[in-house]
């Protein structure tokens, strides 16, 4: 089986309410670490992959990939995710939508394999000034 899900892991895209703050306008409301699980529905890839992904001000990057995967793309202010991923000669796309704590969508690696992904935001406690 091929280890190409890394390519798709961040092809991550997800849905959120309208936001008016400058930070939220650039995707900042999705900041944090997300656990992403990809499930292959067709093709030659392994059946399931799990990754950690970081979102910072709308930019997405792999935290754990277990390989030489590269990813580029953004989370939009409305939670829409659009990513391009590559690993060696294979390339793929991830799309979907994020909400406040979860999200999901689809992924495809060339003609090799495709499937669905889900994401869960890691909880973190934030200190608030009073």
């Amino acid at each position: 089986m091929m280890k190409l899900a890394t390519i798709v892991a961040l092809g991550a895209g997800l849905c959120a309410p309208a936001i008016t703050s400058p930070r939220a306008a650039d995707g900042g409301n999705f900041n944090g670490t997300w656990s992403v699980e990809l499930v292959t529905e067709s093709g030659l890839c392994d059946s399931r992959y799990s990754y950690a992904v970081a979102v910072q001000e709308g930019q997405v990057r792999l935290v754990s990939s277990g390989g030489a995967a590269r990813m580029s793309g953004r989370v939009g202010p409305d939670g829409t995710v659009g990513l391009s991923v590559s690993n060696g000669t294979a390339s793929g796309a991830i799309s979907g939508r994020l909400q406040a704590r979860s999200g999901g969508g689809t992924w495809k690696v060339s003609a090799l394999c495709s499937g669905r992904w889900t994401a869960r935001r890691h909880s973190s406690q934030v200190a608030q000034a009073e």
Side-chain angles (χ1 to χ4, degrees):
M1 290 290 176
M2 307 189 100
K3 296 261 180 190
L4 296 174
T6 301
I7 295 174
V8 198
L10 290 173
L14 320 175
C15 175
I19 301 159
T20 56
S21 74
R23 181 176 166 190
D26 66 2
N29 59 322
F30 299 103
N31 285 351
T33 304
W34 295 76
S35 295
V36 179
E37 183 173 44
L38 290 87
V39 175
T40 301
E41 295 180 328
S42 67
L44 303 173
C45 295
D46 289 346
S47 64
R48 188 174 304 266
Y49 301 89
S50 296
Y51 298 95
V53 175
V55 176
Q56 184 173 353
E57 304 307 324
Q59 296 293 321
V60 181
R61 70 177 174 85
L62 281 172
V63 174
S64 67
S65 67
R70 293 179 184 224
M71 181 216 40
S72 62
R74 297 190 55 82
V75 175
D78 64 349
T80 300
V81 177
L83 301 172
S84 296
V85 198
S86 64
N87 190 355
T89 60
S91 62
I94 299 169
S95 62
R97 196 166 217 66
L98 289 177
Q99 297 176 339
R101 296 264 169 235
S102 63
T106 60
W107 60 268
K108 181 174 183 172
V109 176
S110 307
L112 297 175
C113 51
S114 62
R116 299 206 162 274
W117 62 269
T118 57
R120 293 268 181 244
R121 189 179 217 164
H122 291 209
S123 60
S124 60
Q125 294 182 332
V126 178
Q128 295 182 2
E130 296 194 30

